[in-house]
Amino acid sequence: MEQEVNASAKPIEALDSANSQYQSTGNPSPGTEIKVFAPATVANVVCGFDVLGFAVNEPGDEVVMRVTDKPGITISKITGDNGRLPLSPEKNTVSVSVQHYLESIGRTDLGLDIELHKKMPIGSGLGSSSASTVAGLFAVKTLLGDDRDVAKLLPFAIKGEEMACGHGHADNVAPALLGGFVLIRSYEPLDVIRLPHPAGLYCAIVFPDVDVPTREARKIIRNTIQMKDAVTQWGNIAGLISGLYTHDIDLIGRSMQDVLVEPVRSILIPDFYVMRDLAMQAGAVGFGISGSGPSVFAFTRDEETALKITQALQQHLTGIKINSHTYVSTINDAGPRVL
Ligand code: HSE
């Protein structure tokens, strides 16, 4: 029998940092260091544009944070970004989010140096900026012994996302921070709910090596929608949520249809519909764009089918001269972790 995982449907409470007081249990001395991993995420989950996302086990980013003796934040090193990310602390989403957090708890006296190790492609649709930001926030929270709920970090992570893509959506940062499958029921006020999911649900991810910046992929989406499309979409979202609660994998698969965003964004992804056919023929439960793309993902009932799908899609992409990276994972219920 399938086991229920993280079935609490309670809203994550007290997201407003004013709701509970930060109490530091320690004042880390210069030289104290921590290394944190935060996971990649699949946002939207096909029908839930900006409201659904889940975390995976790999890939993910790593942040090394070191306490220094001079107040302020520095970034000494970024690896794995091919020189694309700014070292300037005013321009980097990790340092900016950490700075907002330090201001909120009145600890701008602290000196911190950050090393960011990108372990996943930028502009891949796998929540690359979110993973970095969440790793940074989790590192500073842990260094300072802030033992409040990790959800307290969400508003700061959203600020980082706003800076990275021009829009503060939470469907990458929330699952990266909280782990598991997450619903953002509302942005104002922020109301975030952790959803259950069937145990044994596998995710096959293929990243075709073409760059699709989220900022650009958001610009091409239509601003108005037809009522008949809205009806189809909310039926599917409700179906997907029902499937997650009842562990009905067929229902999850049937609900993975998107009539609003995928028809537009799929044009940015090489052979999207060919890849979908290949994945479904190989036994996928459902298939779609991961976040704003170009990564695509499929749910499967087992690891073997997930591997079969990644191989078939990679082979196809190689045939049309596009490099790719593949990942197979279960849903990551843990979120960020100290390494
Ligand atoms: N919901 C966001 C979008 C996720 O689709 O633009 C970006 O990864």
Side-chain angles (χ1 to χ4, degrees):
M1 205 180 106
E2 271 160 358
Q3 227 186 322
E4 193 162 298
V5 181
N6 293 313
S8 165
K10 290 198 192 90
I12 313 254
E13 283 171 21
L15 288 164
D16 173 4
S17 59
N19 284 356
S20 78
Q21 287 300 310
Y22 155 72
Q23 284 183 333
S24 175
T25 55
N27 205 10
S29 48
T32 310
E33 187 178 292
I34 194 173
K35 188 175 188 182
V36 166
F37 165 91
T41 41
V42 172
N44 300 337
V45 200
V46 184
C47 52
F49 179 70
D50 278 359
V51 301
L52 282 178
F54 63 88
V56 290
N57 297 320
E58 59 145 2
D61 283 348
E62 288 171 17
V63 160
V64 178
M65 192 174 277
R66 207 169 295 116
V67 179
T68 65
D69 52 12
K70 200 169 148 242
I73 304 175
T74 52
I75 302 174
S76 57
K77 195 194 263 186
I78 303 179
T79 63
D81 68 328
N82 288 325
R84 287 175 64 181
L85 299 177
L87 280 160
S88 158
E90 295 81 40
K91 293 190 183 140
N92 188 291
T93 56
V94 181
S95 37
V96 168
S97 311
V98 169
Q99 177 67 25
H100 281 302
Y101 165 79
L102 290 176
E103 281 165 14
S104 81
I105 58 168
R107 289 301 314 266
T108 46
D109 58 305
L110 200 68
L112 292 173
D113 182 62
I114 294 171
E115 279 180 27
L116 171 59
H117 300 289
K118 297 295 302 173
K119 305 271 176 172
M120 70 168 115
I122 297 168
S124 56
L126 293 171
S128 170
S129 57
S130 305
S132 304
T133 304
V134 165
L137 286 167
F138 194 74
V140 66
K141 175 185 189 291
T142 310
L143 270 179
L144 282 172
D146 176 356
D147 56 5
R148 293 173 304 165
D149 195 299
V150 76
K152 291 280 180 204
L153 299 175
L154 192 52
F156 309 108
I158 291 174
K159 276 198 196 308
E161 203 66 339
E162 207 172 311
M163 188 175 167
C165 339
H167 186 268
H169 51 271
D171 47 345
N172 290 114
V173 282
L177 187 63
L178 305 169
F181 225 114
V182 177
L183 165 71
I184 297 100
R185 190 206 59 82
S186 150
Y187 277 82
E188 285 181 27
L190 199 52
D191 185 0
V192 175
I193 293 147
R194 218 153 161 237
L195 302 169
H197 59 83
L201 195 61
Y202 274 81
C203 177
I205 295 174
V206 177
F207 163 56
D209 199 354
V210 294
D211 204 2
V212 176
T214 297
R215 197 181 284 270
E216 305 308 319
R218 293 187 76 89
K219 281 188 193 150
I220 63 170
I221 296 171
R222 286 167 294 181
N223 278 324
T224 53
I225 59 172
Q226 297 210 345
M227 181 58 86
K228 72 172 176 39
D229 289 337
V231 171
T232 305
Q233 200 82 1
W234 59 56
N236 281 323
I237 296 172
L240 179 51
I241 303 291
S242 299
L244 289 170
Y245 273 93
T246 57
H247 310 156
D248 184 339
I249 294 182
D250 286 331
L251 176 57
I252 292 172
R254 295 206 292 288
S255 307
M256 287 168 68
Q257 314 277 347
D258 172 14
V259 294
L260 301 181
V261 180
E262 183 183 284
V264 184
R265 281 187 173 167
S266 54
I267 56 175
L268 302 174
I269 301 172
D271 278 359
F272 175 78
Y273 291 103
V274 178
M275 289 199 282
R276 184 169 78 177
D277 287 348
L278 287 169
M280 297 312 285
Q281 280 159 21
V285 169
F287 178 87
I289 303 173
S290 172
S292 57
S295 289
V296 292
F297 79 103
F299 275 141
T300 67
R301 293 170 188 276
D302 56 70
E303 188 174 18
E304 199 189 335
T305 310
L307 286 166
K308 211 164 101 184
I309 290 170
T310 54
Q311 278 157 15
L313 268 53
Q314 185 157 52
Q315 203 175 4
H316 177 75
L317 289 168
T318 306
I320 56 169
K321 302 209 171 355
I322 292 175
N323 289 331
S324 57
H325 298 268
T326 66
Y327 310 93
V328 167
S329 175
T330 51
I331 291 170
N332 171 354
D333 287 305
R337 65 174 191 274
V338 176
L339 295 173

